[in-house]
């Protein structure tokens, strides 16, 4: 297993277009997270899945954002009608430790630029 | 929203010196973790300290936790140029018996000059 994979690594789009990011977590991890990070800031929590169930969503996740994790494996994050304020790095992370400590393994991120 | 605040925001030191970064947080926690991020990349977990621990070591890293002051510090000893990165603290809140969500601070940008 090569860790958490994210695709695409970079996406440039025009305002109003839809974009979709994919995350492939570590295969044995049952928890998957999406975070957003803007320049000079720490990651901000967007949403969290345990297996295929979306258990928590941040208020940052507006109606234009939707995330899925069918079959509890890979996940997609879709942004509809993109706005310039959506420009950020979108980070996916997975976790599977049974201790409850929740150490996250991050992917390299998908950088979105909305023109 | 970000629970943790790192201090300083930026730190520049010479190779071989020690680097200390501080983190303050607001709510009760299950554990506190430190992550490192190289420019334009994902975050990498460095070390975790549980709420009932006061100090932890891992190689050149030393973490302290003071739950009464809601603060933590990360010490990197004998720094190297390769330690140049952003460092984030992340807190895991007590929630339904399992710390499901990590809340990150705003980070300290460490530059180690050769």
């Amino acid at each position: 297993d090569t860790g958490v994979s994210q695709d695409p690594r970079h996406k440039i789009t025009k305002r109003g277009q839809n974009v979709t990011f994919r995350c492939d977590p570590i295969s044995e991890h049952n928890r998957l997270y999406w975070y957003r990070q803007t320049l000079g800031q720490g990651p901000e929590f967007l949403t969290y899945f345990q297996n295929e169930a979306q258990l928590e969503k941040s208020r940052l996740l507006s109606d234009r954002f939707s995330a899925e994790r069918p079959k509890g494996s890979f996940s997609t994050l879709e942004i509809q009608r993109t706005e310039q304020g959506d420009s950020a790095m979108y980070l996916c992370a997975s976790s599977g430790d049974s201790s409850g400590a929740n150490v996250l393994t991050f992917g390299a991120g998908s950088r979105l630029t909305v023109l | 929203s970000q629970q943790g605040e790192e201090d300083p925001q930026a730190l520049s030191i010479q190779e071989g010196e020690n680097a200390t970064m501080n983190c303050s947080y607001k709510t009760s926690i299950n554990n506190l973790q430190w992550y490192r991020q190289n420019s334009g990349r994902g975050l990498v977990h460095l070390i975790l300290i549980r709420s009932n621990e006061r100090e932890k070591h891992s190689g050149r890293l030393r973490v302290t936790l003071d739950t009464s002051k809601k603060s933590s510090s990360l010490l990197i000893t004998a720094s190297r140029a390769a330690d140049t990165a952003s460092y984030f603290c992340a807190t895991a809140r007590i929630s339904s018996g399992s710390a499901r969500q990590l809340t990150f601070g705003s980070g300290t940008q460490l530059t180690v000059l050769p």
Side-chain angles (χ1 to χ4, degrees):
Chain A
D1 195 298
T2 56
V4 178
S5 299
Q6 292 190 244
D7 182 70
R9 292 291 313 279
H10 303 274
K11 179 71 176 178
I12 301 174
T13 191
K14 292 182 179 178
R15 188 177 54 189
Q17 298 294 304
N18 299 343
V19 296
T20 300
F21 301 115
R22 177 182 170 120
C23 172
D24 287 272
I26 292 174
S27 56
E28 57 266 31
H29 284 181
N30 61 348
R31 292 193 291 276
L32 185 148
Y33 298 78
W34 285 99
Y35 282 83
R36 180 172 72 184
Q37 185 179 28
T38 53
L39 199 61
Q41 298 296 313
E44 294 178 295
F45 171 77
L46 291 179
T47 190
Y48 147 68
F49 291 84
Q50 180 148 323
N51 300 313
E52 67 275 10
Q54 187 173 19
L55 296 186
E56 199 169 342
K57 289 169 62 173
S58 163
R59 278 173 285 181
L60 289 174
L61 217 64
S62 74
D63 291 346
R64 297 184 298 105
F65 287 71
S66 63
E68 295 182 341
R69 192 183 182 196
K71 303 177 184 177
S73 56
F74 72 92
S75 175
T76 58
L77 176 69
E78 181 183 17
I79 309 173
Q80 296 183 324
R81 304 181 304 281
T82 52
E83 301 172 356
Q84 288 183 324
D86 297 331
S87 294
M89 176 79 91
Y90 290 85
L91 294 164
C92 176
S94 67
S95 174
D97 62 281
S98 56
S99 69
N102 217 31
V103 171
L104 301 187
T105 301
F106 280 85
S110 292
R111 180 168 297 282
L112 173 65
T113 302
V114 181
L115 302 176
Chain B
S1 63
Q2 302 191 290
Q3 139 135 284
E5 289 296 329
E6 279 92 339
D7 171 58
Q9 288 188 326
L11 179 61
S12 184
I13 59 173
Q14 294 293 134
E15 205 164 25
E17 293 180 339
N18 296 342
T20 299
M21 289 160 266
N22 303 296
C23 168
S24 61
Y25 58 92
K26 297 173 186 172
T27 63
S28 296
I29 61 171
N30 178 290
N31 66 68
L32 185 144
Q33 303 176 33
W34 286 88
Y35 287 77
R36 165 198 168 122
Q37 184 179 35
N38 287 78
S39 180
R41 306 297 300 274
L43 285 79
V44 175
H45 178 260
L46 294 176
I47 192 166
L48 176 151
I49 186 165
R50 297 184 186 277
S51 60
N52 61 353
E53 297 175 312
R54 291 297 166 258
E55 188 171 313
K56 203 159 182 182
H57 297 254
S58 177
R60 294 185 297 113
L61 304 179
R62 173 180 168 246
V63 172
T64 62
L65 179 64
D66 187 335
T67 52
S68 66
K69 294 181 180 177
K70 290 187 168 59
S71 68
S72 173
S73 68
L74 172 68
L75 169 68
I76 303 174
T77 60
S79 63
R80 306 165 182 167
D83 294 329
T84 295
S86 293
Y87 291 82
F88 296 92
C89 68
T91 52
R93 292 198 309 267
I94 298 169
S95 172
S96 303
S98 176
R100 292 195 178 94
Q101 183 193 127
L102 286 188
T103 304
F104 286 83
S106 52
T108 292
Q109 172 61 50
L110 173 66
T111 302
V112 181
L113 302 169

